[in-house]
Amino acid sequence: MTAPHPGPSGPAPWPHRAWRAVADHWVLAVGLLVLAYLFLPIGMVVALSFNEPAGRLSYDLDRFTLDNWADPCGPAGMCSAVVRSVQVGFLATLIATVLGTLMAFALVRHRFRGRAATNVLVFLPMATPEVVLGSSLLALFVGARVPLGFWTVVVAHVMFCVSFVVVTVKARLAGMDARLMEAAMDLYANEWQTFRRVTLPLVLPGIVAAALLSFSLSFDDFIITNFNSGTTVTFPMYVWGAAQRGIPPEVNVVGTAMFAVSFLLVAAGQLAGRRHRRGNRVPGGVGSR
């Protein structure tokens, strides 16, 4: 009985190899295309920050210049609006992060009457249109005879930032292993030591992510701010007002700088996390025991 003749052992024909390459990398290719689509407006903002337009209402790439970066505060009132937006964003982020983190711990760690209703109510500011939320807050401030200005903007921003903080920190807490805290308590750590040495380091990335998201939402908000700002002018309101007579190119400088700062913060966080994981894998590290 003769053995069957073996098939050809050479490389597969090129159509098969090409189809195999496409099948193996099409998800990566689609992801890169989506990222390119998302970053296209950002790239345009960066390009316009180095552009000298031909006229006030021209948004074409006419001539390269560094004058916009040399004097970003050239347009009157722009830098003061940026500083005011940073102040509002910092205060709103600080208050919303503290309140939202406490609410997230309460919703995840404790069982109480009305917990399910509270979970639903937390999502309502996120699902409510900003026009409705802004007009409702305006009616509240006017009815309470609160003068509109800087602090009403801060209160309004805290109102919608708290929900995003709760959702972000709650997701981080839900993914934590409760046995780690139980092990710390078994090793004679009290509640404060367990929180400081185990719980807080594990939940800190979620808190930082929630704070960054809150600051971005606060700095970027226009609709709710427009209802409750009074005579206070933030950066988005300045851009909206300037659009009627021509947006100065220095606005793109501010946008590029904000994107660069955000990118550096995210990159630093990723590098720190990678170094921490690499340190846990080396011999003698925590993860090697």
Side-chain angles (χ1 to χ4, degrees):
M1 188 173 183
T2 60
H5 182 72
S9 58
W14 71 266
H16 179 74
R17 295 198 305 270
W19 174 253
R20 185 65 180 271
V22 171
D24 291 341
H25 300 92
W26 72 271
V27 175
L28 177 62
V30 172
L32 292 176
L33 289 176
V34 172
L35 285 176
Y37 173 76
L38 292 176
F39 279 88
L40 184 61
I42 299 176
M44 193 63 185
V45 169
V46 175
L48 288 175
S49 68
F50 296 97
N51 179 52
E52 182 179 352
R56 296 181 62 88
L57 297 178
S58 174
Y59 300 102
D60 298 329
L61 296 175
D62 296 316
R63 192 174 66 176
F64 178 84
T65 182
L66 294 176
D67 295 340
N68 302 328
W69 287 86
D71 187 19
C73 295
M78 192 187 74
C79 281
S80 61
V82 174
V83 172
R84 197 166 295 111
S85 289
V86 172
Q87 293 173 344
V88 171
F90 177 78
L91 291 174
T93 298
L94 181 63
I95 299 173
T97 301
V98 173
L99 295 178
T101 301
L102 295 176
M103 291 177 62
F105 270 94
L107 292 173
V108 174
R109 296 295 180 83
H110 301 281
R111 300 293 184 269
F112 53 89
R113 182 176 298 178
R115 179 171 174 267
T118 304
N119 279 317
V120 175
L121 292 174
V122 165
F123 284 95
L124 286 182
M126 301 172 60
T128 304
E130 290 190 347
V131 173
V132 176
L133 187 59
S135 59
S136 300
L137 288 170
L138 175 62
L140 175 64
F141 292 139
V142 172
R145 300 184 183 276
V146 177
L148 300 179
F150 179 86
W151 290 108
T152 55
V153 175
V154 173
V155 172
H157 286 200
V158 171
M159 290 289 292
F160 66 82
C161 286
V162 165
S163 297
F164 291 93
V165 174
V166 172
V167 172
T168 305
V169 178
K170 184 181 173 184
R172 180 70 178 180
L173 287 172
M176 290 174 54
D177 191 353
R179 293 175 297 181
L180 297 175
M181 280 67 74
E182 296 174 358
M185 300 292 286
D186 290 340
L187 296 174
Y188 304 102
N190 57 33
E191 293 183 355
W192 168 246
Q193 290 173 333
T194 302
F195 175 79
R196 184 169 61 90
R197 295 179 178 274
V198 179
T199 305
L200 184 59
L202 291 175
V203 78
L204 188 59
I207 297 176
V208 174
L212 293 176
L213 177 61
S214 298
F215 184 83
S216 300
L217 293 172
S218 176
F219 189 90
D220 186 60
D221 182 76
F222 168 76
I223 298 177
I224 297 177
T225 304
N226 191 33
F227 275 101
N228 301 278
S229 61
T231 58
T232 302
V233 179
T234 60
F235 182 64
M237 295 185 64
Y238 174 86
V239 175
W240 176 76
Q244 302 176 11
R245 57 184 183 275
I247 298 177
E250 289 81 2
V251 169
N252 301 298
V253 174
V254 175
T256 303
M258 292 297 297
F259 172 75
V261 171
S262 302
F263 179 81
L264 290 176
L265 288 175
V266 173
Q270 292 293 328
L271 290 176
R274 182 175 299 179
R275 288 181 179 179
H276 178 73
R277 291 189 296 269
R278 186 179 301 172
N280 289 340
R281 288 195 298 265
V282 298
V286 177
S288 62
R289 298 179 181 178

